[in-house]
């Protein structure tokens, strides 16, 4: 599968920033997601009453927002097979991944350090790159907001 600017792949699930991952579009309901990727290995309700699906094989978490009629709005992936702009990035040095992001137009980010773990947030694409011991260990992507400060659902 050819990857181009604005895409990453988590196992065989390609993500187009702002839209979703593969056939999974931000805004889908649980039944729509399950029809595509199947039932999760497990799920739980988080502290904000959101439902989180866990897919062990893909090292993938999908969050359905309670306050948004349980629409799919956030994903977390830590698979070693995760690719960003055609390069595997889990386990790679942050500086190498930062250069890759810069080459592909992602230059503006905020940094937060919590207990030595660095989190880099690219607000325009609602992308988080999580780094520990100077190595990338997780990527998070969420649905973006429109000019009215509402979710820009794609489904």
């Amino acid at each position: 599968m050819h990857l181009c600017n604005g895409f990453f792949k988590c196992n065989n699930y390609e993500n187009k920033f702002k839209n979703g991952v593969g056939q999974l579009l931000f805004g889908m309901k649980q039944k729509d997601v399950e029809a595509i990727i199947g039932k999760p290995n497990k799920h739980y309700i988080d502290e904000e009453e959101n439902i989180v699906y866990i897919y062990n094989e893909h090292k993938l978490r999908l969050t359905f927002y309670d306050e948004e009629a349980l629409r799919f709005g956030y994903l977390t992936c830590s698979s070693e097979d995760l690719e960003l702009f055609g390069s595997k990035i889990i386990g790679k040095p942050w500086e190498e991944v930062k250069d890759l992001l810069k080459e592909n137009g992602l230059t503006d980010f905020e940094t937060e350090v919590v207990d030595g773990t660095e989190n880099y947030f690219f607000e325009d694409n609602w992308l988080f790159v999580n780094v520990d011991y100077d190595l990338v260990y997780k990527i998070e992507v969420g649905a973006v907001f429109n000019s009215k400060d509402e979710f820009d659902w794609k489904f």
Side-chain angles (χ1 to χ4, degrees):
M1 189 178 300
H2 177 68
L3 302 178
C4 60
N5 190 15
F7 290 82
F8 79 77
K9 185 169 72 170
C10 184
N11 288 352
N12 292 322
Y13 297 94
E14 189 175 328
N15 182 34
K16 187 171 184 179
F17 294 126
K18 303 180 183 183
N19 292 336
V21 59
Q23 297 174 345
L24 305 178
L25 300 175
F26 290 129
M28 286 183 158
K29 300 290 194 148
Q30 293 164 289
K31 65 177 176 51
D32 303 310
V33 168
E34 289 176 11
I36 294 168
I37 194 173
K39 297 232 182 242
N41 295 96
K42 54 186 164 184
H43 68 279
Y44 66 91
I45 298 173
D46 70 12
E47 64 279 351
E48 296 175 1
E49 300 301 314
N50 302 315
I51 294 177
V52 181
Y53 276 14
I54 299 173
Y55 292 91
N56 294 337
E57 178 183 348
H58 305 294
K59 295 184 179 177
L60 181 66
R61 282 183 170 81
L62 305 178
T63 301
F64 299 86
Y65 292 131
D66 177 59
E67 293 185 3
E68 296 292 328
L70 292 175
R71 291 180 177 201
F72 165 49
Y74 200 80
L75 72 92
T76 301
C77 187
S78 59
S79 170
E80 296 82 6
D81 294 326
L82 183 137
E83 293 182 9
L84 184 65
F85 304 111
S87 298
K88 291 186 178 186
I89 63 163
I90 299 297
K92 298 284 185 186
W94 163 241
E95 288 300 320
E96 185 178 321
V97 174
K98 183 170 77 171
D99 289 344
L100 177 67
L101 293 167
K102 184 177 180 180
E103 290 169 13
N104 288 279
L106 280 77
T107 56
D108 296 327
F109 60 88
E110 298 171 20
T111 304
E112 176 186 48
V113 179
V114 179
D115 295 330
T117 300
E118 301 158 359
N119 303 305
Y120 299 96
F121 175 50
F122 297 80
E123 185 174 9
D124 290 345
N125 293 290
W126 216 260
L127 167 70
F128 290 85
V129 179
N130 302 154
V131 177
D132 201 10
Y133 305 105
D134 291 325
L135 300 175
V136 174
Y137 71 92
K138 180 173 62 176
I139 295 291
E140 303 175 47
V141 180
V144 296
F145 295 93
N146 62 25
S147 60
K148 297 178 183 177
D149 205 28
E150 300 169 338
F151 281 107
D152 186 12
W153 299 121
K154 300 303 178 184
F155 184 83

